[in-house]
Amino acid sequence: MSILVIAEQAAGQIKSSTLHCVTAAQKLGSDVTLLVAGSSISATTQEAAKISGVTKVVAIDSPSLSHQLPEVLAPALVALAPSYSHILAPATAFGKNLLPRVAGLLDVQPLSDVIEILSPTQFKRPVYAGNVIATFESKDKIKLLTIRTTAFDAAPMGGSAATESGDVSSLGNGISAEFVSEELTKSERPELASAKIVVSGGRGVGSAENFALIEKLADKLGSAVGASRAAVDAGYAPNDYQVGQTGKVVAPELYIAVGISGAIQHLAGMKDSKVIVAINKDSEAPIFQVADYGLVADLFEAVPEMTEKV
Amino acid sequence: MKILVPIKRVVDYNVKVRIKADGSGVEKANVKMSMNPFDEIAVEEAVRLKEQGKATEIVVITIGPAVAQDVIRTAMAIGADRGILVQTDSPTDLGGVEPLGVAKTLKEIIAKESPALVIMGKQSIDDDSNQTGQMLAAMMNWPQATFASKLEIMSDRAAQVTREIDGGLETIKIGLPAIVTTDLRLNEPRYASLPNIMKAKQKPMETVTPDSLGVDLSPRLLLVAVADPPARKGGIKVESVDALIDKLKNEAKVIG
């Protein structure tokens, strides 16, 4: 068993999603290689080598990888693939964009959002917005998996893996795709996917201006801010706040759902949280069926009060 | 420019799915089926491009049983011109036709139709794989713009696409032909008008089989089991903010 994990990194930092993937890889075997691909990544590679459980780091460093476009990166993974039994990537926008492209080139049927590894060939994953858990056995020679990060703990730091340079000659070129710009939500708050506390607002919040109530409570708690699809669609919050089956899946210690009714789609993104609090004026809202603590109240009174007292 | 829009017939998003009594999959008998919501967004986007004079023809394709024709008619009522049904009785959600097989089928259709652009949903709400567009792009050696929230056709040879990524938005420029997969914010699909629903019935539809296209749809993944997710028990209602804070501090111990 020889496992390749594709690291997610940006701006010189290994993203925490990578650490969860390394833990998933260790369920498959002890020979875990981490691929760090990007432009000017020597510092990132050194950091990656400290992740406990990684035996080797392969760094593919090229200016053409500055934005890690899948058109460029996927062919390099195809070149690496024959040495491995499994290739893992986090089930994030980065991993979901890249790994199926690799699979298409390799003629492999990948498994998305794996939440449990039963054996080197059997995996559990949620389907139907998390309402059904399916167990699949893969018959492909090489298994390609994206890993739901909330289902596996983060690997600790403290390792010292060997590093080597990967082959840049297999990187893709000639497919017309180029980065133009990015607009990243600037925030001092913890990252939504890995925060210990998340405060989320839904349609009940009513407007983008009112969303400040959610943010104030989040800042008082030092937490991340999330939103339901309804709130994002209505323009109350940016798209990257969305928690749900088609948005981000979170599992913090504490999830506070404010003015969120609890559509199936949303529940799929947060029901693995350790403690769930729901604040909603509708006592019949489905969110209360999953909440450990429910408060039937007008959020415009309860949230400022909580912000003041917490 | 011709646009190909692959669509899928799935259990309606409002239906609470149930596992079949024999545990072989999800119950679909007497369950409302609809077009996958992400695919509806793809059809709408293609129709808008045609209305802007940027597209000339919209061809929709689906893979499924004979009744899957209904989603093709729905797409035609929104504004698609022509439909192709690749008929199979294999399940299209779990343990049957998989994204890899779908991508291979679409590759054959592209060879026949030569579209300049393929717009498709980023994932279907049954198997939730989010793979087909990326796999098809790989097989075609075309650029991919996944999770699109904005699509601008610059010329016959290029498009600019804004993508929803984890930290915010990313804009990329891609050469055409290419694959674009839709995210929720790309547009809000229209409701088909009654006259357009009637007109859709007259639009041409062709039925082919996977065999006639020379594609092998046999699954690579064996469906071993389906199960309900672990149930989460509801907790208690508290009467006030003070009571809530007390519980969080002293019982759950999740805040200091």
Side-chain angles (χ1 to χ4, degrees), chain A residues 71 96-97 107 109 112 125 128-129 133 135 137 140 178 181 183 242 245 248 273 291-294, chain B residues 93 100 104 126-129 131 134 144 146 166 169 171 173 185 220 222 224-225 227 232 235 238 251:
Chain A
E71 291 84 351
K96 288 177 175 181
N97 191 34
D107 190 26
Q109 174 56 52
S112 298
R125 56 174 301 256
Y128 281 97
I133 305 298
T135 305
E137 171 146 345
D140 280 313
E178 60 182 281
S181 63
E183 196 182 309
Q242 189 187 322
Q245 176 75 357
K248 288 197 179 72
S273 304
D292 299 284
Y293 303 110
Chain B
D93 60 342
L100 182 67
K104 286 178 179 177
D126 47 8
D127 87 324
D128 281 326
S129 279
Q131 295 169 348
Q134 296 89 311
Q144 67 188 49
T146 53
D166 286 337
L169 299 170
T171 300
K173 190 177 162 195
R185 260 68 62 177
R220 302 284 185 85
L222 177 71
V224 177
R232 188 175 178 112
V238 293
E251 191 175 89

